[in-house]
Amino acid sequence: MSRKLQRTEVCADCSAPDPGWTSINRGVLICDECCSVHRSLGRHISIVKHLRHSGWPPSLLQMVQTLASNGANSIWEHSLLDPAQVQSGRRKPNPQDKVHPTKSEFIRAKYQMLAFVHKLPCRDDDGVTTKDLSKQLHSSVRTGSLETCLRLLSLGAQANFFHPEKGTTPLHVAAKAGQILQAELLVVYGADPGAPDINGRTPMDYARQAGHIELAERLVECQYELTDRLAFYLCGRRPGNAAVFVLDLSELAKAAKKKLQALNNRLFEELAMDVYDEVDRRENDAVWLTTQNHSTLVTERSAVPFLPVNPEYSATRNQGRQKLARFNAREFATLIIDILSDAKRRQQGKDPLDLGIDDDQHDYDSVASDEDTDSELTTQNNNNTQRSNRAKSMDSSDLSDGPITLQEYLEVKKALASSEAKVQQLMKVNNNLSEELRRLQKEVGNHADADREQCAAGQPAGWGGSGGGEVGEPDPTLPCTEDVILKTEQVTKNIQELLRAAQEFKHDSFVPCSEKIHAAVTEMASLFPKRPALDAVHCSLRLLASSASRLQVECRKAAPSEPGAPAVDYQLLTQQVIQCAYDIAKAAKQLVTITTREKKQ
């Protein structure tokens, strides 16, 4: 199926034209701005993928586009279609609305809280149970009505439901009927391609026996998705060529590998799934950098610097997931290689080292947090199960432990070298960023000139009026507009210096530059009251301070490390430093705009 979209397609969340991304598990197309919010929610809420710049199994792409064209979005916006909602003032955002808070709040309500989906009746004698919904799903997947099955899944039907009378799961039924798009949808929601029926036959067996060879092969791909995806990330190909990956045999690496081998199967599967999610985040980040318009410095679209928190996981596991972003390309590749090698070892039936680690430990466990709400847990039950099948049958085909060869090392090194291209790309966009800084300073200067002219005319700066109209009173809690402009100029000047250092690869300048920016930000924030009356001022000040502090933390990573310490991933570091600069400049501009507007009322 062609990946070229029809011109009539619009973003499911704000109706912007020509959406470039999709949420696979929601079956909707989304624009860049809304995608930035989806990514921040995490894969347990929304699995995003670019329609043109990401790799796609053809049947998965067809499944998404079929759902989008057949009104899957009405499932997630069911109550908004009620005319009474329009009368009450509830509406979805427009393309022109701000990402934060307008679009982000709507998207969180729509997909995380499921605020607009059709609600089931209370579970009394006449209520519909999960078992009832799952039986309906079991029957519906034999047809081509994808949106019906998605609606059932959204209401709580279980993709892995085992029918007690028929002895099969919905995936068995879809496979026998040759419904490859239904199979794709079920797998996205966690259906296991290797699940046995009452006689021990798998959905793959059903597809082969019914002559649906393409579907059977696709189910095999789904079963080995985790190891295949990790191998493809390393060398750009599926396993199958007797590839052996070994990057590091230092004592530190050997000790880490022993710890990995000592994990019980459950903890090993959790780690493998988290690394899978981190691979997805890094690949989407690469697409994000390629497709974004970097001509403006101040933007509400942001990258996702680490895996978002999944409330279903323990705090320890979430912290471990976020630390994966700190691995540089070599370290991350070494971890993936060790996981692939150990997956092969476990699949061959070799027991892990017995070092006293049992299944009751919770060092990397999956438990619900105290902050979970019923609606969030419902969402997680519906959307997190897609991970379960990724840990099944973790056979990486031809990946195993073995000796180092020069050819193998160079092959992986060549594949990893592509990450260096991202650094070059970031450096190229800095010229545009500097241009935006100059434009911002010019805009600020124009505000200052206007205030000076008012002062020369005998009118206090920041006051306004026209003709015979009344002159509005300035907000006494806000500082003088000219003072804010001067401090903003100092902030942007220091940001320019930081960006030049990044462009020239002068990473040793990161720390002093960040200190200057932090000092300028502190001086600018001190102009405003500690408890501003306007929420907009409070939000901008909070963004300004938090971004400056985060910038300091990131820049300190560029400081010379002790001998033996892990190498710094300057690609990731530069990306995060630039994002902090975005946020600081955006907050500063917001404060200038608010101050100027309020003073002239």
Side-chain angles (χ1 to χ4, degrees), residues 237-257:
R237 72 183 186 202
R238 305 293 177 187
N241 297 306
V244 179
F245 305 113
V246 181
L247 282 182
D248 191 350
L249 285 183
S250 65
E251 291 303 315
L252 184 63
K254 289 179 181 178
K257 189 169 185 177

Side-chain angles (χ1 to χ4, degrees), residues 27-308:
V28 296
L29 309 180
I30 50 179
C31 68
D32 283 7
E33 288 191 343
C34 292
C35 175
S36 67
V37 181
H38 277 253
R39 292 197 63 205
S40 70
L41 296 178
R43 285 174 52 84
H44 56 288
I45 302 297
S46 182
I47 305 173
V48 302
K49 200 176 186 72
H50 199 277
L51 285 160
R52 290 176 284 270
H53 294 275
S54 298
W56 279 93
S59 55
L60 180 61
L61 177 63
Q62 186 178 357
M63 183 272 288
V64 171
Q65 292 188 320
T66 300
L67 281 173
S69 61
N70 288 340
N73 195 41
S74 63
I75 294 174
W76 314 111
E77 296 183 356
H78 176 82
S79 66
L80 291 181
L81 301 177
D82 184 352
Q85 296 293 339
V86 178
Q87 295 176 3
S88 67
R90 299 183 71 175
R91 68 169 184 86
K92 65 188 299 180
N94 294 318
Q96 297 77 19
D97 286 332
K98 295 290 185 181
V99 176
H100 302 289
T102 309
K103 291 183 180 179
S104 62
E105 288 182 354
F106 174 79
I107 291 170
R108 287 182 183 278
K110 180 177 176 181
Y111 300 110
Q112 188 173 33
M113 306 306 297
L114 300 180
F116 313 124
V117 300
H118 176 67
K119 300 296 190 299
L120 287 174
C122 296
R123 295 191 174 186
D124 51 23
D125 293 340
D126 297 326
V128 180
T129 66
T130 299
K131 185 177 180 180
D132 294 332
L133 292 169
S134 299
K135 284 187 175 181
Q136 292 181 41
L137 178 68
H138 190 278
S139 175
S140 298
V141 292
R142 71 178 74 250
T143 73
S145 182
L146 279 177
E147 59 276 15
T148 298
C149 293
L150 179 61
R151 190 180 302 276
L152 291 169
L153 289 165
S154 74
L155 293 174
Q158 300 300 301
N160 271 318
F161 172 73
F162 187 85
H163 201 294
E165 290 85 22
K166 301 183 183 297
T168 56
T169 70
L171 194 53
H172 286 94
V173 178
K176 184 177 181 179
Q179 294 290 348
I180 190 169
L181 302 189
Q182 295 282 21
E184 291 284 4
L185 179 61
L186 289 170
V187 169
V188 166
Y189 274 81
D192 181 4
D197 69 357
I198 195 171
N199 297 314
R201 294 184 300 168
T202 67
M204 294 175 287
D205 295 330
Y206 274 63
R208 289 193 186 97
Q209 291 170 5
H212 307 303
I213 305 303
E214 179 186 355
L215 175 52
E217 292 176 351
R218 176 61 185 143
L219 290 174
V220 172
E221 290 179 3
C222 292
Q223 186 171 18
Y224 299 115
E225 177 188 3
L226 189 149
T227 48
D228 283 1
R229 179 80 174 272
L230 298 187
F232 190 85
Y233 177 78
L234 283 178
C235 60
R237 72 183 186 202
R238 305 293 177 187
N241 297 306
V244 179
F245 305 113
V246 181
L247 282 182
D248 191 350
L249 285 183
S250 65
E251 291 303 315
L252 184 63
K254 289 179 181 178
K257 189 169 185 177
K258 286 183 178 179
K259 290 183 179 180
L260 181 68
Q261 292 175 337
L263 293 176
N264 63 60
N265 286 336
R266 177 179 56 79
L267 295 181
F268 177 75
E269 289 178 359
E270 288 180 356
L271 175 60
M273 289 188 285
D274 293 342
V275 170
Y276 177 99
D277 286 350
E278 175 64 13
V279 164
D280 183 78
R281 185 195 69 82
R282 293 190 181 206
E283 289 180 339
N284 271 336
D285 264 357
V287 174
W288 186 263
L289 287 172
T290 302
T291 58
Q292 290 303 291
N293 177 9
H294 296 282
S295 62
T296 57
L297 174 64
V298 180
T299 175
E300 291 187 292
R301 306 177 191 178
S302 59
V304 178
F306 47 75
L307 290 174

Side-chain angles (χ1 to χ4, degrees), residues 553-574:
V553 172
E554 296 298 334
C555 287
R556 285 169 187 160
K557 298 175 186 176
S561 56
E562 298 178 359
V568 178
D569 184 353
Y570 286 108
Q571 169 211 342
L572 178 62
L573 177 62
T574 303

